[in-house]
Amino acid sequence: MSRTGGHRQPMTKIGYFLSSEEYTPAELIEQARLAEEAGFDGLWISDHYHPWNDEQGQSAFVWSTIGAISQVCELPVTTAVTCPTVRIHPAVIAQAAATSAVLLNGRFALGIGSGEALNEHIFGDAWPTVDVRLEMLEEAVEIIRRLWTEDGFVSHHGKHYTVDNARIYTRPDAPVPIYMSGFGPEATDVAARIADGYITTTPDSDLLKRFRENGGGDKPTQVGFKVSYAPTEEEGIEQAHRIWANSGLPGELSQVLPSPRHFEQASQLVTKEQTAKSVTAGANAADHLKAFQPYLEAGFDEIYVANMGPHSVDMMKLYRDEVLPELRRR
């Protein structure tokens, strides 16, 4: 066991992150099956309406993909993350998540966040400020939990949402855990207060400590990052920069830019050299092991790794044979 900020932590779980923006539904389903065979402990799956750029080229409806995954794989699944506030009403997300949990025999967690304009602007609604988005998210969580737990029909007349005599008939035996993403102090505080767990994509030990000390306690914490497996480091860097240069954009750009073409324009500011410094690329197991170290040292309970590019099958083999056994030995 390790101790970080007073949190006593069992062995970290290592999961695989399915990128809905880059792979077809069939590829995601096959990756889920291979991840289980390789020895991963769980799955993240992204929920997008658009990819970040046209080079990524995909963005399937995540709930259909989760249903198919449930038939080929027994790993637990977490959405990373769903925005249950603008594009889809929280009452519908409650039904989708409940059905996913039933199909997965309870091995499902609803990961939520305040969203990005990239995915949520499609009906022409004004994109709210972050304070309003967090307020909407908190009300959405209240609705979702009521629909999962209350007997009979639910009605709600709130500031942002109305629900009129709704009832979810197909529900799992226990309510679905809700994990919330937090990439800044304000969102992290809300997650600590209302969520059953915490999600992020940076090894920020200060935010993790803030979550635990402001109400998160020993609730599960999850973090994810991307690597770029390829036969050579040079090829891995090239494909990471071509497909995922948007990952290098700073600040709140990822939350406010409204379309893939805007991300493509902004990503021109990210150089290939910057990508090379920030991404683990190539086929060296030692390099892939090193990429986990900041997240392990920060003290996360679960770490999810995604692959960028076309070599996911070979990446799975490397992790099965070398990376996962060594991580667990350590």
Side-chain angles (χ1 to χ4, degrees):
M1 290 189 178
S2 65
R3 184 180 295 275
T4 303
H7 172 61
R8 194 162 176 80
Q9 181 183 334
M11 181 179 290
T12 306
K13 295 180 180 178
I14 307 298
Y16 187 78
F17 185 178
L18 299 166
S19 295
S20 300
E21 310 92 316
E22 188 181 347
Y23 302 102
T24 67
E27 289 171 327
L28 294 170
I29 294 160
E30 179 65 4
Q31 287 179 20
R33 187 185 67 78
L34 292 172
E36 184 173 35
E37 289 184 358
F40 285 96
D41 297 314
L43 298 170
W44 263 14
I45 186 166
S46 55
D47 179 3
H48 270 236
Y49 193 88
H50 294 134
W52 297 100
N53 55 59
D54 284 349
E55 186 67 32
Q56 291 168 4
Q58 297 292 328
S59 205
F61 190 58
V62 72
W63 304 105
S64 300
T65 307
I66 291 171
I69 287 171
S70 74
Q71 303 304 295
V72 302
C73 173
E74 294 188 358
L75 292 178
V77 177
T78 303
T79 52
V81 291
T82 291
C83 178
T85 58
V86 179
R87 175 168 43 102
I88 304 180
H89 193 283
V92 178
I93 293 295
Q95 184 187 32
T99 300
S100 297
V102 169
L103 285 168
L104 287 159
N105 295 316
R107 300 184 307 274
F108 179 73
L110 176 62
I112 61 168
S114 60
E116 303 98 8
L118 174 71
N119 300 304
E120 310 306 325
H121 81 281
I122 59 172
F123 299 128
D125 300 294
W127 184 233
T129 63
V130 64
D131 290 347
V132 174
R133 298 202 307 272
L134 290 173
E135 183 179 87
M136 294 172 71
L137 191 61
E138 187 163 358
E139 186 177 339
V141 168
E142 177 188 352
I143 291 167
I144 290 167
R145 285 198 171 121
R146 288 187 62 194
L147 286 165
W148 287 343
T149 59
E150 293 186 14
D151 296 327
F153 290 85
V154 171
S155 291
H156 173 91
H157 301 281
K159 181 175 180 179
H160 300 286
Y161 304 105
T162 296
V163 177
D164 183 29
N165 290 308
R167 180 180 179 184
I168 295 177
Y169 281 82
T170 301
R171 304 194 305 199
D173 293 335
V176 179
I178 295 177
Y179 296 173
M180 180 179 159
S181 67
F183 302 124
E186 188 176 3
T188 298
D189 289 347
V190 175
R193 180 163 49 83
I194 73 169
D196 302 308
Y198 179 60
I199 287 175
T200 190
T201 56
T202 61
D204 191 323
S205 58
D206 290 336
L207 281 180
L208 181 58
K209 181 180 179 182
R210 186 182 184 110
F211 172 79
R212 296 205 183 283
E213 292 182 349
N214 288 357
D218 286 332
K219 295 175 182 178
T221 59
Q222 300 181 338
V223 67
F225 70 100
K226 294 179 174 65
V227 298
S228 186
Y229 180 95
T232 67
E233 184 179 15
E234 182 180 358
E235 181 182 340
I237 292 169
E238 186 281 327
Q239 68 192 18
H241 188 66
R242 175 172 50 84
I243 303 171
W244 285 94
N246 60 279
S247 296
L249 294 176
E252 298 181 26
L253 281 176
S254 64
Q255 297 177 0
V256 300
L257 294 179
S259 77
R261 71 176 180 273
H262 292 108
F263 278 92
E264 289 165 2
Q265 293 164 7
S267 294
Q268 294 176 21
L269 301 173
V270 181
T271 67
K272 191 173 180 179
E273 289 72 25
Q274 289 173 318
T275 299
K277 290 179 180 179
S278 63
V279 172
T280 295
N284 188 302
D287 291 339
H288 284 261
L289 284 163
K290 186 178 179 181
F292 282 84
Q293 200 58 37
Y295 305 92
L296 291 167
E297 291 176 355
F300 286 94
D301 300 308
E302 303 177 28
I303 304 172
Y304 293 80
V305 58
N307 187 56
M308 299 179 275
H311 302 293
S312 293
V313 173
D314 290 333
M315 180 266 200
M316 295 278 191
K317 292 177 182 177
L318 177 73
Y319 275 64
R320 178 195 66 197
D321 297 339
E322 300 185 56
V323 176
L324 293 178
E326 179 62 17
L327 283 171
R328 290 178 177 129
R329 187 192 68 80
R330 293 180 180 183

